[in-house]
Amino acid sequence: MTDDSLDHVALLRLAIAESAKAKAEGNHPFACILVGPDGKVLMTQHNAYMPDHDMTGHAERVLMTRASTTLPMALLKECTIYTSAEPCAMCSGAIYWTGLKRVVYGLSEKDLKKITGDHPENPTLDLPCRVVFDAGQRAVEVIGPMLEAEATEVHEGAWE
């Protein structure tokens, strides 16, 4: 398998399935996976909000910290992050600084904001990740939203 033949649908479904696991474990329903250019899943991450109520413990941000401190930059620049929901501004910045090639996401920030409302544990920023990446000095490919119904379903009952 080469980077051009990555099965974005199947890999995004893995990230969405991880978000369902996070929810089942009592955490916020967000998760992501880091995939190498050969299609191999290198890392998986759920939100790290619980138990310490770390508001910066978003799955993508935590995964980027783990990846940037353990994997070579040459590999990271060929990697794709698949995430159940569009990365927020903070997470988009982490993805940019880590040097990833591509982001594939399910639920958009705009639609996530409609779902979460003004929930104090998720004051969603309706700022598309493309806007953050466009402000940078290198390109980050963005694919999404995709599989929105599947990504939305995981949030049912989570923000009441």
Side-chain angles (χ1 to χ4, degrees):
M1 176 181 291
T2 65
D3 186 54
D4 294 334
S5 65
L6 291 178
D7 186 343
H8 297 312
V9 170
L11 290 164
L12 183 55
R13 280 194 171 122
L14 286 177
I16 293 169
E18 286 295 326
S19 70
K21 286 181 191 176
K23 181 181 174 184
E25 293 169 0
N27 210 333
H28 292 156
F30 300 101
C32 56
I33 60 173
L34 183 66
V35 176
D38 60 356
K40 179 182 175 190
V41 176
L42 303 173
M43 294 182 177
T44 300
Q45 182 67 52
H46 298 177
N47 259 28
Y49 174 75
M50 299 301 284
D52 300 322
H53 302 286
D54 179 0
M55 296 301 286
T56 67
H58 296 190
E60 301 91 344
R61 201 274 308 152
V62 174
L63 183 66
M64 291 301 92
T65 298
R66 290 176 53 215
S68 67
T69 58
T70 60
L71 297 174
M73 185 175 282
L75 174 60
L76 290 170
K77 72 179 188 175
E78 299 301 323
C79 287
T80 301
I81 186 171
Y82 291 85
T83 181
S84 61
E86 182 174 9
C88 73
M90 173 183 67
C91 293
S92 296
I95 291 164
Y96 176 82
W97 285 107
T98 300
L100 295 193
K101 176 181 184 170
R102 180 184 305 115
V103 173
V104 180
Y105 69 87
L107 182 62
S108 72
E109 276 284 280
K110 183 176 206 63
D111 288 338
L112 178 63
K113 187 175 179 183
K114 291 176 190 172
I115 293 168
T116 62
D118 63 354
H119 196 285
E121 293 176 6
N122 196 41
T124 304
L125 287 168
D126 182 7
L127 180 66
C129 65
R130 286 174 173 89
V131 172
V132 176
F133 297 138
D134 286 348
Q137 297 181 44
R138 65 171 190 79
V140 178
E141 181 184 356
V142 178
I143 301 172
M146 285 178 61
L147 306 176
E148 292 174 275
E150 293 174 41
T152 299
E153 187 176 326
V154 178
H155 290 270
E156 289 179 9
W159 306 106
E160 296 171 358

